[in-house]
Amino acid sequence: MTTIAKADLRYPTNDAPAPGTTHEIAPGVRWVRMPLPFPPDHINLWLIEDGEDWAIVDCGLAREEAKQHWERIFAEALGGRRVTRLFVTHFHPDHLGLASWLVERWKMPLHITAGEMLMARTVHAQGSDTDIANRVAFYRANGLDGDRLAPFAQPGNVYRKGVPEVPSAFRRIAQRQPIGIGGREWTPLIGRGHAPEHACLWCPDLNLIIGGDILLPRISPNVSVWPLEPFANPLADYLGSLANFADLPDDVLVLPAHGLPYRGVHERIVELRAHHAQRLDKLAEALAQPHSAAECFRYLFRREIHPGNLSLAIGEALAHLHLLEAEGRARREQDSDGVWRFMRA
């Protein structure tokens, strides 16, 4: 994720709820904020009044601290009413992590897109020797070696730390197939690139959209190529899917997963497109000389890349390189060491 925020966005409130409490952000919609142990340091989650019950949208990372915050909310904020549905925007651990716990806690269904459910189960199942070998080969082929490559050879599955279990069944969310919650229609609008089939939930009656990670106010979502699909073009997917939000009203209230709720979605989309266009142009200019993905960091990132962020940095660099390649602005060759190097077409 890269910090970009120049658009003139309007923020209705700066008053985020403390962990374990809620704040009404619209009629029948409550804002929940949970701490995270990594940047960004929080995630916004949402409660929607659903008749005599409540629905949750996104649930937080699987941590005992987060469970305690939820239990306090259940005891103090919901007026003794039940939670009967869980909606998850996408498969990432800070959004899906506590899904199994909540599904079992309330004996309720999980609603998620098919693409996100299948990706969650796929990533959760990884960890075999073959998976690890594929991971090492991917990062080696994109310019990592020595100490920077060694962590990727370690056994284990980091995803399971944030998502100990994935629910065994789900109800499908689909693009523009309205869902009734609390007597109102919520229309799913799909964003791609950051995740395969990320669901944002738009409620015309309330003039708001739960935007997840697609429409963040101050940072661009991470858009990466991963070892599972090493020749993917996720940045094209992300930029293309922004057209799905073209019909939103200018003054729609965006409820993002990180940062503050805001108005100004179309200005923000223009800014996100311009941000990536600038990065693509800068990278294309640098490809006058051949570069591996790992050699492109200085053209894309302002901060030093630490070991814990290497996979994200390689993934984002490749996302930009693959889009340049698809546009005919770059080509690739594999050198004698098996490393892919990109250059101007």
Side-chain angles (χ1 to χ4, degrees), residues 29-299:
V29 180
R30 295 193 184 182
W31 178 9
V32 175
R33 178 169 279 196
M34 296 282 183
L36 293 175
F38 47 74
D41 62 2
H42 68 274
I43 181 169
N44 299 323
L45 314 170
W46 313 98
L47 285 161
I48 304 175
E49 202 165 14
D50 192 12
E52 294 301 313
D53 305 309
W54 290 92
I56 293 174
V57 181
D58 286 340
C59 52
L61 196 66
R63 304 175 73 209
E64 287 303 316
E65 178 187 25
K67 290 181 182 180
Q68 292 169 13
H69 292 318
W70 273 124
E71 291 292 1
R72 180 183 170 192
I73 288 169
F74 299 151
E76 299 178 6
L78 300 192
R81 292 149 68 182
R82 289 182 47 78
V83 181
T84 54
R85 287 191 281 178
L86 170 63
F87 296 86
V88 171
T89 58
H90 63 298
F91 81 100
H92 290 164
D94 50 336
H95 297 259
L96 183 68
L98 284 173
S100 284
W101 176 72
L102 285 168
V103 164
E104 180 61 26
R105 167 75 169 73
W106 290 103
K107 301 297 187 285
M108 64 178 175
L110 166 66
H111 296 251
I112 191 170
T113 64
E116 297 302 317
M117 183 64 168
L118 294 173
M119 183 59 78
R121 295 193 70 82
T122 297
V123 175
H124 193 272
Q126 290 182 327
S128 69
D129 290 345
T130 301
D131 292 329
I132 294 168
N134 179 63
R135 184 171 68 203
V136 170
F138 172 81
Y139 289 109
R140 179 184 288 118
N142 285 293
L144 296 186
D145 56 19
D147 291 343
R148 294 202 300 174
L149 184 62
F152 297 105
Q154 297 301 310
N157 183 323
V158 175
Y159 185 74
R160 291 180 203 156
K161 294 180 180 179
V163 187
E165 292 185 64
V166 177
S168 58
F170 73 106
R171 297 185 184 181
R172 185 178 298 195
I173 297 174
Q175 166 83 337
R176 294 192 179 274
Q177 292 188 12
I179 302 165
I181 310 175
R184 297 185 175 96
E185 282 194 352
W186 294 74
T187 300
L189 302 178
I190 301 301
R192 303 187 188 276
H194 176 66
E197 196 181 3
H198 180 304
C200 302
L201 298 176
W202 173 35
C203 182
D205 287 349
L206 293 173
N207 195 28
L208 66 78
I209 182 169
I210 296 176
D213 283 345
I214 296 297
L215 300 170
L216 300 173
R218 296 190 60 80
I219 55 178
S220 62
N222 175 258
V223 178
S224 281
V225 177
W226 298 99
L228 182 65
E229 191 182 2
F231 294 94
N233 191 358
L235 187 53
D237 294 338
Y238 175 70
L239 295 172
S241 73
L242 291 177
N244 291 335
F245 305 93
D247 295 336
L248 291 174
D250 288 340
D251 62 345
V252 69
L253 179 63
V254 181
L255 306 184
H258 310 286
L260 296 172
Y262 69 93
R263 301 186 192 275
V265 65
H266 295 300
E267 295 98 315
R268 183 59 177 152
I269 288 172
V270 167
E271 186 173 56
L272 286 164
R273 289 185 182 279
H275 166 72
H276 286 292
Q278 291 166 2
R279 290 173 66 165
L280 287 163
D281 288 345
K282 185 174 182 179
L283 186 56
E285 183 178 347
L287 296 183
Q289 299 296 323
H291 286 75
S292 70
E295 293 167 340
C296 293
F297 295 168
R298 63 184 182 274
Y299 308 115

